[in-house]
Amino acid sequence: MIRSKASDQQPSRRNLLSSAGLGLGALAGASLLSACSTVTTTGGSAAAAGGAGSAGINNPAYDSAIKSLVNGRTVQLGWTPPILSEMFNQMEKAAFGRMAELEQTYGINWKWERSAPTGNFDAVEQQVSIVRGWTARKFDAVLVCTGANFATMQDVYRQASSSGTRVFQFNQPVELYDEEKINTVSNIGYDNRWQSGYLAGTFIAKTLGGKGKIIQIMGPSGSDWSKARQIGFEKALRENPGLEVVGSADGGYLRDKGLNAAQDLLTRNRDIDAIYGENEDMALGASQAVDAAGLKQWDGQQGVVIVGADGLLSGMESIAAGKLTATVDVGSVDQGRSFIDAVFRSVVLGETVAKVIEVPTRVVTKENVAAAKAYIEGAMRPPKSY
């Protein structure tokens, strides 16, 4: 199977999408926000990064040819995240921005339908119905992020494909599964092990000098995201034997549950040095618990180090305010733009796209939070919505 990191994909993406790649240089530059990213790219502008001789860079004739291929086509997309949240709102706005760029340059028309299950990440039956409904309506493509059972969803995806609807997954921990068993065109996201869990663990180790007591706030029991991120986090712990996890609790990927879980753990483990919130909402809940317990937040020298993962604007604001030490930004903006590119190339142009496309991730701290926040804020103002 084909696996592609963002740094592998971007040259051909630039060559193909020419002046429509208004944000590709910014996407590439975004990886420079972090010295800890496991995937890096270079370049400051689409033209500079594309290099001499790139077919689509500043090439009106090429743009015209692609526009003729598009021929004013309308593409019907269905987008279903596991829950409506700040993270997925950022991703959707970034997708709208990319759709608008492609529309302006190539004359493609988009019809976008969003549907998410009500409730929490375990409301999976609703997502099965959502995808099957879109398949029955002959959508061109469906974009899915789900907490549903892997095997169950592969059957759903197989049925969709046989009916002519192409399925793309995003933000899924596909690294846990055999790629040959994944019945989707492409899977856009990041490796939760090494691009999230491991980064969080190594950041804690570096910040604490390799020694300290940690409590963990985990996602729902059995979650694939939890399994994958824990693999990376435990690798960081093995590399830093001076770190000790003294307590762990389920925070359900929700801020209020993260708060309750942290409060419970802190009643039994006040003498801690760090809290690892597997996602950012739970880390922000843990931050509230630290304040309520009268403990000191990390100030660069002492206090409780609190680390999350997602890359939310609210998290960036908390980092700037000293209420969150760091987060792993898992690229909501880059995922949103990249899955639109994958759909355009596969569905519209008939090209082969990578089975797995990994976007850059980065650790965000007070040192680089201004740039990280500005990058997301820019994507939150797309020229139009769909």
Side-chain angles (χ1 to χ4, degrees), residues 1-4 8-9 12-13 16 166 168 184-187 341-357:
M1 292 296 178
I2 303 170
R3 176 178 290 270
S4 172
D8 300 327
Q9 280 294 101
S12 60
R13 184 186 306 145
L16 168 70
R166 302 193 192 189
F168 299 76
T184 51
V185 175
S186 187
N187 303 270
D341 278 346
V343 169
F344 183 78
R345 294 172 65 179
S346 174
V347 174
V348 180
L349 299 184
E351 296 191 343
T352 300
V353 295
K355 187 76 170 184
V356 176
I357 299 172

Side-chain angles (χ1 to χ4, degrees), residues 344-379:
F344 183 78
R345 294 172 65 179
S346 174
V347 174
V348 180
L349 299 184
E351 296 191 343
T352 300
V353 295
K355 187 76 170 184
V356 176
I357 299 172
E358 294 173 355
V359 303
T361 68
R362 58 197 66 83
V363 174
V364 178
T365 66
K366 268 195 171 181
E367 284 67 36
N368 62 354
V369 69
K373 182 170 179 284
Y375 183 64
I376 297 171
E377 286 176 333

Side-chain angles (χ1 to χ4, degrees), residues 3 80-82 88 91 127 143-150 153-154 157 168-177 182 184 186-192 224-225 228 335 356-358:
R3 176 178 290 270
T80 176
F88 294 111
M91 198 176 293
Q127 275 194 303
L143 296 153
V144 185
C145 177
T146 179
N149 174 271
F150 176 81
M153 294 309 295
Q154 299 319 301
Y157 300 157
F168 299 76
Q169 287 187 129
F170 62 94
N171 201 57
Q172 293 281 165
V174 295
E175 61 271 12
L176 295 179
Y177 298 98
I182 303 174
T184 51
S186 187
N187 303 270
I188 299 89
Y190 57 96
D191 191 314
N192 286 265
D224 283 348
W225 291 284
Q335 286 191 62
V356 176
I357 299 172
E358 294 173 355

Side-chain angles (χ1 to χ4, degrees), residues 27-41:
L27 188 157
S31 64
L32 303 178
L33 293 175
S34 171
C36 302
S37 174
T38 60
V39 182
T40 57
T41 57

Side-chain angles (χ1 to χ4, degrees), residues 203 280 283-284 287 297-299 306-329 362-370 372-373:
F203 175 82
E280 202 158 317
L284 292 170
S287 175
Q297 300 254 2
W298 181 256
D299 63 3
I306 306 174
V307 180
D310 275 342
L312 308 180
L313 282 176
S314 61
M316 306 286 183
E317 292 164 357
S318 295
I319 290 171
K323 295 298 182 180
L324 186 66
T325 312
T327 191
V328 180
D329 179 358
R362 58 197 66 83
V363 174
V364 178
T365 66
K366 268 195 171 181
E367 284 67 36
N368 62 354
V369 69
K373 182 170 179 284

